[in-house]
Amino acid sequence: MNPFLISGYEKPELFCDRRTETKKLLNAIENSRNVTLISERRLGKTSLLNHVNYLLEKEVVFIYIDLYPTLLLKDFVNLLSAKILEKLEPFSDKVIRKITGFFSAFKPKFSFDPETGTPSFELTISSISEAEKSVSLLLEYIRNSEKKVVLAFDEFQQITKYPEKNIEALLRSEIQKDNRTCFIFSGSQTHLLIAMFSAYSRPFYNSTEIMNLTQINQEEYVKFIIQKFSKGGFSIEKETANHIYSRNIGITYNVQYHCHKLFSKGEKEILITGVDKICKEILKENEVVYFNYRELLTSLQYRLVKAIAKETHVEKPYSNEFTTKYNLGSSSSIRTAIKNLSEKGILIQQNGVHLSDWYFSLWLKTQM
Ligand SMILES: Nc1ncnc2c1ncn2[C@@H]1O[C@H](COP(=O)(O)OP(=O)(O)OP(=O)(O)O)[C@@H](O)[C@H]1O
Ligand SMILES: [Mg+2]
């Protein structure tokens, strides 16, 4: 079995480090402190939440909710109610009666997922104010539970995109009523989350402990890489493992993907030349996607993205030095392009600007 996972979480042995972060989250859960977990994309937020869930004592109910697919408050309500039935209450006649009574105003309808057989229930909601009331009631239902609950909302920034406007204030006031449940808000659109949790004017201001996940420590990752390859019968020098880490600037997904590919290729002696060859293969594989980007972007946007990729990170994208070097034109049009590209998730603005996809960045570096 390939020990380098490229999706999901399996078990602690396949999970590298994150000891400090795990301890911090477990402590926050134990003491019912709410946490906002942020990082750039693909560093391992979701996996860390899974890891914590794996380690939690069995009495604690961990409800993980990925909000990414939700577009409306109603979707939020449906997901939350489905998860309550899946995780909090073992399905029984008694529970059906209890839920029917508690949510009687919303005529709960029970159903089973045709594929997995998982039970869920849906509330009948016909207006925004009903949707809001149902959120309050769902959180009250959790509060009334005898069990300690962790409610982890992944991709939480999604709520800012719902057409219903006061959901932040509504959630905040419900959460304040609860000092036993631990709420975790996680997401990768850091600017949206930071704005939500650290702007004075916003309901969630100063209401949670902010945890910023960065790259896994290089030394720890190198140890992990060597150990997993050795166990699989491969030989790899420390220098080569360090090379894999740096080639992927320590971004968890990319390091994992690179190692996964090397492992599946099966060449038992891993050398730096082999590492670089796999990197080229990965870029070649993705090329069709990158060509597609070129079609989708305007000429200025594409030239700008390429220029930023060539520099890896640009601290001052409006400076004369940068714009002249790459012949990019006026800073006002660059400003608009950066704004659009950030909204599309292609660029990340943090102490300057860089690309969100490291492999795309590496590929652009090879382009004329
Ligand atoms: N500590 C770890 N050890 C080994 N692999 C990990 C670790 N953390 C994450 N991964 C792997 O890295 C990849 C990215 O992780 P994950 O999806 O958790 O990141 P994320 O920050 O939630 O990403 P996104 O921003 O896209 O939601 C996954 O394939 C996961 O299996
Ligand atoms: Mg994630």
Side-chain angles (χ1 to χ4, degrees):
M1 190 210 131
N2 197 316
F4 298 101
L5 294 187
I6 50 171
S7 71
Y9 175 85
E10 259 182 45
K11 52 186 175 182
E13 295 88 283
L14 302 183
F15 189 72
C16 172
D17 192 26
R18 297 295 190 208
R19 285 190 296 271
T20 315
E21 295 87 348
T22 304
K23 218 164 128 189
K24 222 169 149 183
L25 272 176
L26 287 171
N27 183 275
I29 290 171
E30 195 182 323
N31 293 286
S32 301
R33 277 196 314 275
N34 301 331
V35 178
T36 307
L37 174 66
I38 50 177
S39 83
E40 280 192 24
R41 291 219 54 201
R42 307 207 140 179
L43 283 177
K45 297 169 294 297
T46 304
S47 306
L48 177 63
L49 293 175
N50 279 301
H51 183 60
V52 165
N53 182 16
Y54 188 99
L55 298 177
L56 271 179
E57 290 164 31
K58 291 296 160 254
E59 307 85 77
V60 181
V61 178
F62 191 96
I63 303 182
Y64 169 85
I65 301 182
D66 179 6
L67 293 176
Y68 191 71
T70 64
L71 300 170
L72 306 164
L73 185 54
K74 196 166 177 252
D75 303 333
F76 178 97
V77 169
N78 286 336
L79 252 184
L80 187 55
S81 35
K83 288 288 173 185
I84 285 179
L85 203 49
E86 186 189 334
K87 300 281 178 191
L88 190 63
E89 306 274 28
F91 192 63
S92 68
D93 286 350
K94 194 172 147 217
V95 166
I96 294 185
R97 278 198 299 278
K98 186 173 154 200
I99 289 176
T100 310
F102 194 87
F103 295 100
S104 60
F106 297 102
K107 303 183 192 68
K109 279 201 288 280
F110 292 84
S111 62
F112 292 91
D113 184 310
E115 273 169 32
T116 60
T118 315
S120 81
F121 69 97
E122 199 167 302
L123 301 177
T124 315
I125 292 163
S126 47
S127 65
I128 294 178
S129 77
E130 281 190 8
E132 290 176 359
K133 273 190 206 125
S134 67
V135 171
S136 305
L137 215 52
L138 284 163
L139 293 173
E140 187 182 333
Y141 192 85
I142 292 176
R143 247 185 342 262
N144 290 347
S145 162
E146 276 156 24
K147 296 172 190 152
K148 159 100 181 182
V149 176
V150 180
L151 206 49
F153 292 109
D154 205 355
E155 304 298 349
F156 187 65
Q157 74 280 343
Q158 194 64 21
I159 71 157
T160 61
K161 298 175 187 166
Y162 297 168
E164 295 88 357
K165 282 302 160 228
N166 53 353
I167 166 88
E168 262 178 77
L170 167 74
L171 278 175
R172 158 84 177 161
S173 79
E174 284 305 319
I175 287 162
Q176 268 179 332
K177 291 180 194 159
D178 194 335
N179 46 24
R180 193 161 68 115
T181 306
C182 172
F183 291 86
I184 301 175
F185 308 100
S186 169
S188 50
Q189 276 173 303
T190 39
H191 61 289
L192 289 179
L193 275 171
I194 290 174
M196 209 190 298
F197 288 90
S198 58
Y200 185 71
S201 58
R202 304 282 284 266
F204 274 107
Y205 173 71
N206 243 348
S207 66
T208 65
E209 184 172 312
I210 296 197
M211 238 176 105
N212 187 13
L213 204 67
T214 55
Q215 269 86 340
I216 293 174
N217 173 283
Q218 180 158 352
E219 232 172 273
E220 292 293 337
Y221 220 152
V222 164
K223 264 198 263 167
F224 177 84
I225 293 170
I226 294 175
Q227 191 213 23
K228 296 296 165 230
F229 275 123
S230 308
K231 211 171 160 206
F234 291 76
S235 75
I236 179 167
E237 296 283 331
K238 199 168 171 189
E239 188 197 353
T240 316
N242 269 309
H243 185 66
I244 297 176
Y245 185 95
S246 344
R247 202 82 187 87
N248 294 289
I249 51 169
I251 300 169
T252 318
Y253 171 77
N254 297 60
V255 173
Q256 289 292 118
Y257 194 72
H258 209 141
C259 291
H260 183 97
K261 284 277 187 181
L262 279 165
F263 195 97
S264 67
K265 190 137 200 190
E267 283 171 15
K268 293 295 180 188
E269 191 183 6
I270 301 175
L271 301 170
I272 289 187
T273 46
V275 169
D276 288 340
K277 200 164 149 225
I278 290 283
C279 192
K280 275 206 188 102
E281 283 176 26
I282 295 172
L283 300 188
K284 189 87 197 148
E285 246 172 49
N286 291 345
E287 202 162 53
V288 46
V289 178
Y290 303 149
F291 279 132
N292 199 29
Y293 272 129
R294 203 168 60 184
E295 300 300 314
L296 291 173
L297 303 180
T298 65
S299 157
L300 172 66
Q301 285 173 344
Y302 186 73
R303 282 186 294 121
L304 176 65
V305 168
K306 195 162 76 180
I308 295 169
K310 298 239 181 215
E311 301 284 327
T312 301
H313 180 87
V314 181
E315 232 170 80
K316 297 195 173 100
Y318 311 112
S319 69
N320 248 335
E321 194 193 341
F322 175 68
T323 55
T324 321
K325 182 171 172 189
Y326 293 98
N327 198 12
L328 293 168
S330 79
S331 60
S332 68
S333 46
I334 295 177
R335 204 170 289 276
T336 313
I338 289 183
K339 185 171 170 281
N340 285 332
L341 291 163
S342 306
E343 279 165 8
K344 285 194 174 87
I346 293 173
L347 291 182
I348 306 270
Q349 293 187 69
Q350 201 165 29
N351 307 323
V353 61
H354 59 261
L355 268 67
S356 64
D357 182 340
W358 175 242
Y359 285 144
F360 185 33
S361 198
L362 279 182
W363 181 79
L364 284 167
K365 281 177 195 286
T366 66
Q367 300 298 295
M368 291 272 289

